[in-house]
Amino acid sequence: MTNEAQRKANPEQLKRQLEFQIRLNTLIQRIQEGESFSDVMPEIEADLLSLLNGERITVYQRSRTNPELVSKYKSGDEFKEIRVSLSTSSISGYVGLSQKPLRLNDVYEADELAKIHANLRFDKSYDLKSGFRSQAMLVVPIKSKDVLFGVMQVLNRRGGGAFTDIELSNATKLGLLLGNQFRYELGGTRDPYEFLVQMGKVTQQQIDDFKARAPKEGTTVSYLLLTEGNLSAAEIGASLERYYQVPYMGYNPEIEIPQNLLKGINEAYLKKERWVPIQGDLDEVVVLIDDPTDDRRIMEIQRVLRARNYIFKVALPEDIRQYLGETLQSPEANVDINELVDRLHEEGVETVTDDEVDSVDENEATVIQLVNQLIRESFNARASDIHIEPGKGKQASAVRIRVDGQCQRSLTIPASHIRAVVSRIKIIAGMDISDRRRPQDGKAVVKIKGKPVELRVATIPTVNGESVVMRILASSKPLPLAQLNFSERNLRETEKLVEHPHGIFLVVGPTGSGKTTTLHAILSHINTPERKIWTAEDPVEISQPGLQQVQMNPKAGVTFATALRAFLRADPDVIMIGEMRDKETAEAGVEASLTGHLVFSTLHTNSAAETVTRLLDLGIDPVSFSDAFLGVMAQRLVRTLCDKCKKPYTPDEEELTLMRRYYGEEHFAELKVDPAKLSLQKAVGCPECNNTGYRGRTGIHELLVSSHAMKDLIYHKATAEEIQKLAKEEGMRTLMQDGIAKMLKGQTDLAQIRKVAAT
């Protein structure tokens, strides 16, 4: 067509568009005057078809609770529904997922559908039931502010043939206007954080400020709302839910992602793209995404997962990162650890051979930054240990950190760089990087926020490569004895026992149960100028003025046994031996206590009573031990409820019965519990505790105190059961009983106690 012809045609075209707009405005006004769109639809259906030049029309609304589109229509006196899943297998479902309009010449042409998506099919069942022959189709998303509220489907152009560009444009305009109406009907908001402003949680000025700051500071608006706005993830999620019209799903530490969903997907890619498959299988998968309106990522997810059906839920970027093993923390460091891992992937090679792995320099900038940032972020997350675990062959290596006694995933390191990372750690720990066949130990001191932090590093060769464990030993001061959360009886008896001039007192429990903290609290309690105190430790974790502390060094011949003998020649009053690992050390400790010294030590046993029998089994003379023995304290560390979010609840009869059974019916009355008034605390979850419901740990203890009757049992080599029975008669309460007493104070819950104390 020439320019002259276009000029002549334009007035007619403009006239048609003006007529369309007038008719459209009239229809929208009628819709707005109705109670709801589904009520008005039967009255305006003919006008809609005339406006869009179609023979049949179906308007679907998006379900807020299920991944489907719902169309209500009147049949007789009642409304019926047509439901279509949001999936790539149906035409309307595909438009809902992609949020882009679609124009088809003939829905029966399988090749035409396959060019759009391999799964796309036309459901012929409606045609077969009605006798209607579907052919041309217009399908447009019903959206408002990029949020999907439904899908409109127009069938068969009047007069035949395919729908024109103008008709597609008109349908798209109607879809946007209907989107605004649906948003209004469903109480949707115009901004992801508008609901927070409406509820008075924050001001619009704060939201605007956070939106301006977030990209500059390399963080997210949600993170600023969590940390500076003092909002919970659930509160922010409720606002996102109102805007995006899909359910919010926050971080739940109990959920484990099915590994088959992550197969072949790089976790660094998921962190960067801010989505994660969380539940289900390839028949129907639940996907968390921080922006369900991002059609690019929605289509990318379909290409990556290739599932049949998708359930999309909105989540905070922080929720998604936690599901992928990260902890919620401030982006105060200049380097993002995920960017460093991404960089390693970019620098890596697809086929990993030994030569290519060895060619990666452990001193290259990315590797150094990654190791430094890993230590820094683990320390900030209050981790006690960092575990680097090699993967098999080309598989990435996993990094896990232990926080409050529990391991959690942190990140993955590409197979191409794992040796370089391990070598870098060995360099800072003063270890031999060329020796990969033998276990090695080392230590390093790094500065975090200006404070020295000591690392104890151990490498162990595995079939897949070297595994590394870094224990973080932040230099600390001893706690006062009164702050160890002892029961009234245990505190009173401990203070009496440690004032003895001589004897042996033991603190027992598994690795990481707080034995060193307890011993140093005791030493601090008796650390006066009148006493000379020697300690042999491996490692020296807590320093105290006034103590002569010796670090064990087996290579130089400094062991617990040799240190103990040396101490006896150094005029001691009090001796602390880090651990009684063998008969030689145990006998030397007993002898030292019998010659006028107060001896403290630790042992890896499960209970106080078992400690006595374990030492006797080592071959210690029962007569000497019974004379020297003052007492033994068994302890565990139990996770405590987060003070910021724990909530009271009334336990049911089943839980009360369980508490009675665990505490012992014969002693339960001493707790003075009134079932009618009893209120316990339960875990909830908030940003302060990374949505776990728990923050920090406290000790539970059982203290066995020596008596004449107890000495007699030891002398006669009594069993652990006999010793335990007498100890309980004399006032000892078990770990489980002490834990239940602390549960009644609102410090922890029964689930955590059962994890660490025998039932």
Side-chain angles (χ1 to χ4, degrees):
M1 184 183 291
T2 65
N3 291 339
E4 183 65 27
Q6 287 178 343
R7 279 195 297 273
K8 288 180 180 178
N10 279 342
E12 185 63 31
Q13 186 177 331
L14 288 171
K15 181 182 176 182
R16 287 199 301 269
Q17 286 299 305
L18 183 59
E19 289 174 353
F20 170 83
Q21 194 64 48
I22 293 170
R23 294 168 65 194
L24 179 61
N25 292 343
T26 303
L27 272 174
I28 293 299
Q29 186 175 347
R30 290 175 64 187
I31 292 170
Q32 291 173 344
E33 289 171 353
E35 288 291 324
S36 67
F37 178 80
S38 56
D39 290 335
V40 178
M41 177 62 184
E43 301 172 11
I44 64 169
E45 183 175 359
D47 291 329
L48 282 174
L49 287 170
S50 173
L51 187 71
L52 299 172
N53 203 27
E55 293 183 0
R56 291 201 175 182
I57 185 171
T58 306
V59 178
Y60 296 96
Q61 288 184 302
R62 181 178 191 164
S63 168
R64 287 188 65 175
T65 55
N66 297 308
E68 57 187 8
L69 301 166
V70 182
S71 175
K72 295 182 179 181
Y73 64 98
K74 198 166 186 179
S75 177
D77 292 331
E78 59 183 43
F79 279 96
K80 293 189 176 181
E81 293 181 345
I82 300 173
R83 292 181 177 267
V84 175
S85 64
L86 273 169
S87 69
T88 56
S89 57
S90 72
I91 296 172
S92 295
Y94 174 82
V95 170
L97 274 181
S98 66
Q99 298 190 25
K100 291 184 177 179
L102 197 61
R103 177 173 52 177
L104 298 168
N105 294 331
D106 190 344
V107 293
Y108 279 83
E109 286 291 334
D111 290 343
E112 186 180 359
L113 299 179
K115 287 178 183 177
I116 298 168
H117 196 283
N119 295 344
L120 206 56
R121 301 288 185 273
F122 172 65
D123 186 354
K124 303 173 185 177
S125 61
Y126 298 110
D127 281 9
L128 293 173
K129 288 178 186 177
S130 64
F132 182 82
R133 170 58 163 86
S134 301
Q135 189 169 5
M137 186 183 286
L138 272 183
V139 193
V140 297
I142 297 173
K143 299 198 298 183
S144 175
K145 295 275 291 186
D146 290 329
V147 176
L148 181 77
F149 285 90
V151 169
M152 182 172 65
Q153 176 181 283
V154 185
L155 266 173
N156 291 7
R157 184 174 184 271
R158 292 180 179 181
F163 285 98
T164 66
D165 290 343
I166 292 176
E167 288 160 347
L168 176 61
S169 174
N170 290 342
T172 304
K173 287 178 184 177
L174 177 58
L176 292 174
L177 291 170
L178 287 178
N180 292 332
Q181 177 64 23
F182 286 3
R183 179 187 57 77
Y184 172 77
E185 288 184 13
L186 294 170
T189 52
R190 296 177 180 273
D191 180 87
Y193 309 107
E194 182 181 333
F195 186 62
L196 295 173
V197 178
Q198 292 175 356
M199 298 300 292
K201 302 290 184 181
V202 291
T203 65
Q204 187 59 51
Q205 181 59 48
Q206 283 177 293
I207 294 293
D208 294 340
D209 177 50
F210 290 161
K211 285 182 177 179
R213 283 174 50 198
K216 295 176 184 177
E217 297 176 13
T219 186
T220 62
V221 174
S222 55
Y223 183 83
L224 295 173
L225 286 167
L226 289 168
T227 55
E228 297 184 25
N230 295 318
L231 297 178
S232 69
E235 288 173 320
I236 302 170
S239 186
L240 298 179
E241 197 171 86
R242 285 290 185 110
Y243 176 71
Y244 290 114
Q245 294 294 303
V246 297
Y248 165 72
M249 182 175 177
Y251 175 66
N252 182 347
E254 301 299 323
I255 292 177
E256 288 191 20
I257 303 175
Q259 288 305 301
N260 64 306
L261 293 179
L262 295 176
K263 189 176 181 181
I265 306 176
N266 189 301
E267 288 189 16
Y269 159 79
L270 293 177
K271 290 175 185 177
K272 182 180 178 182
E273 291 293 298
R274 293 180 180 174
W275 65 270
V276 61
I278 196 69
Q279 290 173 324
D281 50 36
L282 295 184
D283 184 56
E284 183 171 86
V285 61
V286 178
V287 179
L288 299 191
I289 185 169
D290 72 324
D291 182 1
T293 68
D294 189 336
D295 55 274
R296 178 195 67 80
R297 281 191 287 165
I298 296 295
M299 299 308 290
E300 179 71 15
I301 288 167
Q302 294 177 51
R303 284 193 290 271
V304 172
L305 289 179
R306 297 194 176 278
R308 194 170 69 85
N309 289 317
Y310 300 87
I311 300 175
F312 286 97
K313 296 186 178 183
V314 67
L316 274 59
E318 291 71 28
D319 295 326
I320 293 168
R321 290 205 299 267
Q322 285 187 91
Y323 275 116
L324 293 169
E326 283 193 25
T327 52
L328 178 62
Q329 53 192 297
S330 168
E332 62 186 18
N334 292 327
V335 183
D336 187 322
I337 197 164
N338 296 311
E339 291 181 6
L340 293 172
V341 174
D342 288 344
R343 214 180 297 167
L344 292 187
H345 279 286
E346 291 167 6
E347 295 167 359
V349 287
E350 291 189 9
T351 304
V352 183
T353 66
D354 284 347
D355 290 341
E356 286 165 327
V357 168
D358 286 336
S359 69
V360 178
D361 185 2
E362 63 272 5
N363 292 313
E364 68 176 42
T366 308
V367 172
I368 293 172
Q369 283 183 309
L370 178 66
V371 172
N372 293 344
Q373 191 69 4
L374 173 61
I375 296 169
R376 184 185 297 112
E377 291 197 1
S378 300
F379 175 83
N380 291 338
R382 301 181 298 108
S384 60
D385 300 87
I386 305 169
H387 298 257
I388 300 176
E389 300 159 344
K392 183 178 180 181
K394 301 176 185 177
Q395 292 178 358
S397 297
V399 178
R400 297 191 293 165
I401 61 175
R402 189 181 295 278
V403 179
D404 291 339
Q406 292 199 333
C407 279
Q408 58 189 48
R409 291 194 305 167
S410 177
L411 52 88
T412 58
I413 299 172
S416 56
H417 283 72
I418 184 59
R419 281 193 186 172
V421 170
V422 172
S423 294
R424 178 62 194 168
I425 293 169
K426 290 167 81 172
I427 286 171
I428 65 174
M431 299 156 75
D432 184 356
I433 65 171
S434 64
D435 190 350
R436 298 174 183 150
R437 296 182 179 180
R438 292 182 299 175
Q440 293 189 61
D441 295 307
K443 62 181 180 179
V445 177
V446 297
K447 279 197 173 183
I448 299 177
K449 297 179 181 178
K451 295 181 180 179
V453 176
E454 185 177 351
L455 303 174
R456 307 290 296 190
V457 183
T459 63
I460 301 174
T462 73
V463 292
N464 296 323
E466 285 185 287
S467 180
V468 180
V469 178
M470 291 185 279
R471 170 152 287 190
I472 301 174
L473 306 173
S475 56
S476 59
K477 297 178 180 178
L479 291 173
L481 201 59
Q483 289 185 18
L484 292 186
N485 202 18
F486 287 148
S487 67
E488 185 179 338
R489 180 258 180 189
N490 287 349
L491 179 60
R492 183 181 66 251
E493 293 294 338
T494 300
E495 288 177 338
K496 285 166 54 176
L497 288 174
V498 300
E499 291 298 332
H500 277 67
H502 55 80
I504 187 166
F505 183 88
L506 300 167
V507 179
V508 303
T511 301
S513 59
K515 299 186 296 295
T516 301
T517 300
T518 299
L519 279 176
H520 270 278
I522 291 171
L523 292 176
S524 177
H525 183 73
I526 62 174
N527 185 8
T528 62
E530 296 81 27
R531 287 190 177 97
K532 179 63 179 283
I533 303 175
W534 286 92
T535 74
E537 303 172 69
D538 187 22
V540 176
E541 297 182 39
I542 300 172
S543 298
Q544 288 195 54
L547 269 58
Q548 297 296 299
Q549 297 176 264
V550 179
Q551 170 72 51
M552 296 300 92
N553 186 358
K555 293 180 181 178
V558 183
T559 64
F560 287 123
T562 58
L564 181 51
R565 289 197 182 89
F567 292 167
L568 292 174
R569 299 190 295 272
D571 189 28
D573 293 304
V574 179
I575 296 171
M576 193 269 271
I577 301 299
E579 186 181 345
M580 286 188 172
R581 295 177 178 173
D582 50 42
K583 179 183 178 183
E584 182 184 10
T585 310
E587 285 183 338
V590 172
E591 289 173 13
S593 66
L594 291 172
T595 55
H597 305 98
L598 183 57
V599 178
F600 297 98
S601 190
T602 72
L603 210 65
H604 288 107
T605 52
N606 292 321
S607 68
E610 185 185 316
T611 304
V612 177
T613 57
R614 175 74 63 84
L615 287 170
L616 294 177
D617 288 343
L618 282 176
I620 292 178
D621 176 35
V623 177
S624 299
F625 182 55
S626 63
D627 287 342
F629 181 63
L630 293 175
V632 55
M633 177 176 288
Q635 70 177 61
R636 300 288 188 279
L637 290 179
V638 62
R639 297 171 83 194
T640 51
L641 294 165
C642 175
D643 288 331
K644 296 285 187 181
C645 63
K646 65 181 181 181
K647 287 190 176 179
Y649 75 100
T650 302
D652 56 24
E653 188 58 38
E654 183 181 352
E655 189 171 359
L656 283 170
T657 302
L658 202 58
M659 286 167 54
R660 286 193 192 95
R661 181 163 66 83
Y662 284 154
Y663 198 86
E665 294 286 351
E666 68 276 19
H667 299 299
F668 193 73
E670 71 190 22
L671 294 174
K672 299 178 181 178
V673 171
D674 182 353
K677 298 180 180 178
L678 180 60
S679 177
L680 301 178
Q681 299 284 338
K682 65 180 178 180
V684 178
C686 67
E688 191 73 20
C689 60
N690 285 331
N691 289 315
T692 63
Y694 303 93
R695 182 173 173 83
R697 290 186 290 174
T698 191
I700 57 174
H701 314 88
E702 62 180 35
L703 177 61
L704 186 156
V705 179
S706 182
S707 64
H708 290 297
M710 186 65 68
K711 289 180 185 291
D712 189 57
L713 282 183
I714 295 172
Y715 176 79
H716 289 96
K717 291 188 174 182
T719 64
E721 289 78 10
E722 292 170 325
I723 293 171
Q724 172 116 334
K725 181 181 178 183
L726 176 61
K728 291 175 75 171
E729 290 172 357
E730 293 180 342
M732 184 188 85
R733 292 297 173 259
T734 63
L735 293 167
M736 174 60 74
Q737 289 172 316
D738 192 47
I740 289 175
K742 283 163 184 172
M743 180 181 74
L744 292 173
K745 293 179 180 178
Q747 297 173 4
T748 187
D749 58 30
L750 193 57
Q752 298 305 315
I753 299 166
R754 292 174 65 183
K755 284 181 180 180
V756 299
T759 58

